[in-house]
Amino acid sequence: MDKELQQIASEVEGFSEKLTALKKEIGKVIIGQEETVSQLLITFLAGGHALLEGVPGLAKTLMIRTLSNAIDLKFKRIQFTPDLMPSDIIGTEILEEDHTTGKKFFKFNKGPIFSNIILADEINRTPPKTQAALLEAMQEFEVTYGDKTYSLDKPFFILATQNPIEQSGTFVLPEAQQDRFLLYIKIGYPTDEEETQILKATTGTKKAQLNKVLSGVDIVRLQQLVREVSISDGLIQYVSDIIRATRPDTTQVDYVKQWVDWGAGPRAGQAMILTAKANALLEGRLAVTPEDLQTVALSVLRHRVLVNFRADAEGITSDIVTQEILKAVQLRNK
């Protein structure tokens, strides 16, 4: 057993060097935003999908495209618009003729969803029926058209973007759709120093050349290694206590009873543990700490804790609620 752990530790060390190199490649194009890049890598390692929200001009699309350019996987960008149809994403059947026999038949022409990394740009600009075309792919990693089911290539990631300030012509993602996203990442403005560097780097003639650092095989193996990261029973209980504290009917936190309509479901606990394991692996560790759980808590619960109308009126967000829960819920001594 010790030999097996030693082998895994050695493998993790090798991948840690590759992940560090991947961050450096992304840093050639994206200045700052280290936390956002780390959360995207956590999404990859945990085998989930991410929703990025930020005002225009914060390089959401560029960040995802840069990440895909540094990984040797198939990449497709889908620009979501009000007139986009489900068949524009999934694909459609076309009528073809066999030139040998003259017989006509329908052939399924695969859509852009059949790639490894999908950039769903401005996902909230398309109607719910088109948004729903992603649901099966995000959860079951397959697509059903007619009476046939087609498996998607693995690894498979959907990285979606949305703009929080422009509501004209947008459609809010349903809660069931939001819950399919492992992390809901909010991107803030750059610092003074970072903004100066951005202006220098993007207004000249120099263009960064990116190298492929990770392969699809590497990503799949990293996802397997994430599952190998250990977490104690005490920390699993801690996650359960946090998730149950988000629900008004089971919480002991008065702040939640006052401001929350609906709490997080069991999928939130699964997401918190998996992303905490991914965060530990990203830092070269094979065991989860309470800090790992606290690091991912906001992005995991941001779209799964629904505040009430009074909270909206008072400017109380799900992030504020989560911070109050983390203060109130203590790790049990075991």
Side-chain angles (χ1 to χ4, degrees), residues 251-265:
T251 190
Q252 301 298 316
V253 183
D254 290 335
Y255 201 87
V256 172
K257 292 177 182 177
Q258 184 178 0
W259 301 113
V260 174
D261 260 351
W262 296 97

Side-chain angles (χ1 to χ4, degrees), residues 146-167:
D147 59 350
K148 289 186 178 180
T149 299
Y150 303 87
S151 295
L152 296 168
D153 294 337
K154 290 184 180 179
F156 175 75
F157 308 99
I158 290 180
L159 304 175
T161 70
Q162 65 178 18
N163 175 359
I165 60 173
E166 194 175 352
Q167 299 305 317

